[in-house]
């Protein structure tokens, strides 16, 4: 994309709004409309509406007597999701390794990116029964336990954009490609709080996944255990893997919430 094309897609109001927020610092904790306009190199009418919008959204506060603006604590929320996502793989690694040691199965951490699930953490086992992945691997969300779980917790509008506006590819005869049936399965997954897959992406591979929640109660990632059907039966998945995953989910979700708040 050329420079002119990039400029064409640039949203001036968004750019200006972010520039305004970045003007505040230790040396300038408060600013007036005139000072903001001067810093931006524009007349006062340009930032006025943006300041009103930022104030109505709760990111700025205006003192009634001085008419000066200052940032509110809500600005911190803009960085919370990013900061917590950076910490998550490092924090989760210990729990993944504990799960692996307790279950004898490979454990993974993943996030959703569009219609794909991306692996950002892993605690693999060794040997012929290993089901391991590389960090950064992308797999189709609708054909994996962790992917279906992450899809299930999306807002309906976003889910429709990602899944129901595209054709679902089949990878095995067990892959769910019917949109209505997938929607029903996702609704059940959200009610249950966990997701299963059995030979939907690869023959002979089964998995169970649970969510990790952030401080706002939104799902930020999934952890799952993956095993070969020939070595681990359904009883292992339901009575050993799932309870341990749910316990880990509760611990990690609590940790991420308290870490972000502190």
């Amino acid at each position: 994309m050329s420079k002119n094309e990039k400029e064409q897609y640039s949203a001036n109001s968004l750019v200006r709004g972010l520039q305004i927020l970045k003007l505040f610092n230790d040396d300038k904790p408060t600013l007036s409309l005139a000072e903001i306009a001067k810093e931006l190199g524009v007349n006062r009418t340009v930032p006025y509406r943006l300041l009103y919008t930022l104030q109505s959204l709760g990111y700025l506060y205006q003192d009634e007597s001085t008419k000066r603006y200052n940032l509110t604590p809500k600005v911190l929320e803009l960085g919370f999701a990013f900061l917590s996502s950076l910490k998550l793989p490092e924090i989760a690694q210990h729990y993944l390794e504990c799960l692996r040691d307790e279950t004898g199965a490979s454990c993974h951490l993943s996030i959703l990116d569009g219609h794909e699930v991306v692996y950002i953490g892993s605690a693999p086992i060794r040997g012929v029964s290993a089901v391991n992945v590389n960090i950064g691997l992308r797999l189709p969300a609708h054909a994996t336990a962790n992917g279906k779980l992450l899809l299930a917790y999306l807002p309906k509008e976003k889910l429709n954009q990602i899944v129901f506006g595209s054709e679902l590819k089949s990878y095995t005869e067990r892959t769910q490609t019917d949109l209505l049936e997938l929607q029903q399965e996702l609704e059940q997954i959200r009610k249950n709080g966990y997701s299963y897959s059995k030979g939907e992406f690869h023959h002979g591979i089964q998995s169970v996944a649970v969510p990790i929640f952030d401080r706002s109660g939104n799902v930020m990632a999934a952890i799952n255990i993956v095993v070969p059907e020939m070595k681990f039966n359904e009883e292992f998945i339901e009575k050993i893997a799932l309870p341990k995953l749910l316990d880990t989910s509760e611990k990690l979700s609590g940790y991420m919430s308290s870490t972000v708040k502190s």
Side-chain angles (χ1 to χ4, degrees):
M1 185 179 289
S2 66
K3 182 178 179 181
N4 289 337
E5 288 175 322
K6 291 180 180 178
E7 291 177 350
Q8 181 181 351
Y9 287 103
S10 176
N12 289 331
S13 294
L14 176 60
V15 172
R16 291 291 192 196
L18 293 174
Q19 286 176 336
I20 288 173
L21 293 178
K22 290 169 68 177
L23 291 177
F24 296 88
N25 52 45
D26 290 341
D27 296 327
K28 300 174 182 177
T30 68
L31 291 167
S32 67
L33 173 60
E35 290 170 338
I36 291 171
K38 182 179 179 181
E39 290 285 344
L40 295 177
V42 297
N43 60 52
R44 298 186 187 189
T45 59
V46 174
Y48 180 78
R49 287 186 178 180
L50 293 173
L51 288 167
Y52 177 83
T53 301
L54 290 170
Q55 187 178 355
S56 65
L57 291 173
Y59 295 116
L60 288 181
Y61 169 78
Q62 185 183 36
D63 187 285
E64 290 295 330
S65 58
T66 65
K67 301 300 180 183
R68 296 180 70 82
Y69 295 90
N70 62 271
L71 297 177
T72 72
K74 189 174 182 181
V75 172
L76 295 174
E77 294 180 4
L78 297 174
F80 276 155
F82 176 68
L83 290 173
S84 59
S85 68
L86 286 179
K87 296 174 184 176
L88 182 57
E90 181 180 353
I91 294 170
Q93 189 60 37
H94 168 72
Y95 294 94
L96 292 176
E97 291 172 0
C98 286
L99 273 173
R100 176 200 60 197
D101 296 342
E102 292 174 1
T103 62
S106 296
C107 306
H108 309 298
L109 175 72
S110 55
I111 58 174
L112 190 66
D113 183 19
H115 63 280
E116 296 177 316
V117 62
V118 184
Y119 289 82
I120 60 173
S122 180
I125 63 168
R126 300 180 183 275
V128 294
S129 63
V131 182
N132 300 330
V133 301
N134 294 321
I135 303 301
L137 174 70
R138 291 172 174 266
L139 294 179
H142 73 282
T144 56
N146 44 339
K148 289 188 295 183
L149 179 95
L150 293 168
L151 288 174
Y153 281 90
L154 287 177
K156 285 190 176 181
E157 285 187 11
K158 194 166 185 179
L159 178 63
N160 290 337
Q161 292 174 357
I162 293 175
V163 176
F164 303 116
S166 61
E167 184 177 349
L168 301 177
K169 182 179 178 180
S170 176
Y171 295 92
T172 74
E173 70 279 1
R174 292 180 177 177
T175 307
Q176 182 58 265
T177 58
D178 183 275
L179 292 175
L180 181 58
E181 290 184 7
L182 177 62
Q183 184 177 24
Q184 293 173 344
E185 182 180 359
L186 295 180
E187 289 175 356
Q188 190 60 50
I189 287 171
R190 183 160 185 154
K191 289 179 182 178
N192 293 340
Y194 55 84
S195 172
Y196 291 117
S197 68
K198 190 173 182 180
E200 296 171 33
F201 183 69
H202 277 307
H203 286 290
I205 301 299
Q206 57 182 335
S207 176
V208 57
V210 299
I212 299 174
F213 297 94
D214 64 16
R215 65 191 293 269
S216 301
N218 299 314
V219 172
M220 61 190 302
I223 49 175
N224 69 310
I225 287 177
V226 189
V227 295
E229 291 181 43
M230 61 183 294
K231 291 283 291 184
F232 297 84
N233 57 28
E234 290 186 9
E235 186 176 0
F236 165 82
I237 291 289
E238 295 176 3
K239 295 186 177 181
I240 298 177
L242 179 57
K244 290 185 179 297
L245 277 169
L246 290 171
D247 180 61
T248 301
S249 168
E250 184 177 355
K251 291 176 181 176
L252 267 174
S253 298
Y255 189 96
M256 295 310 300
S257 178
S258 63
T259 300
V260 172
K261 286 180 179 179
S262 60

